[in-house]
């Protein structure tokens, strides 16, 4: 996991926060909530892939 991953997650967070504020100010709270949930799912998907890679590396390290 490199610094690129941190920047990617931060960029997603910033984009979701801006979209959330725009949608709330325009009176679309439901769409703002869906946007936030979509951003969370995208970030969790990225993290699950990285955790999976970590477990595979540990498994190979200990020959399990």
């Amino acid at each position: 996991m490199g610094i690129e991953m941190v920047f990617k997650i931060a960029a997603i967070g910033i984009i979701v926060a801006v979209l959330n504020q725009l949608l709330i100010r325009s009176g679309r709270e439901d769409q703002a909530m869906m946007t936030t949930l979509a951003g969370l799912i995208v970030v969790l998907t990225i993290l699950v892939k990285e955790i999976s890679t970590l477990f595979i590396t540990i498994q190979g390290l200990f020959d399990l």
Side-chain angles (χ1 to χ4, degrees):
M1 184 168 132
I3 193 74
E4 308 90 33
M5 188 66 60
V6 175
F7 286 147
K8 188 184 292 186
I9 291 172
I12 292 170
I14 291 169
I15 290 169
V16 167
V18 169
L19 285 174
N20 191 9
Q21 288 300 317
L22 287 173
L23 288 170
I24 286 176
R25 297 213 187 259
S26 67
R28 299 178 178 178
E29 288 83 13
D30 294 339
Q31 290 178 352
M33 179 62 74
M34 289 299 180
T35 304
T36 304
L37 286 175
L40 180 64
I41 290 170
V42 168
V43 170
L44 287 177
T45 303
I46 293 170
L47 290 177
V48 165
K49 288 179 186 177
E50 290 298 317
I51 291 172
S52 173
T53 305
L54 174 66
F55 284 148
I56 290 171
T57 304
I58 291 173
Q59 187 178 18
L61 180 66
F62 292 114
D63 288 328
L64 297 176

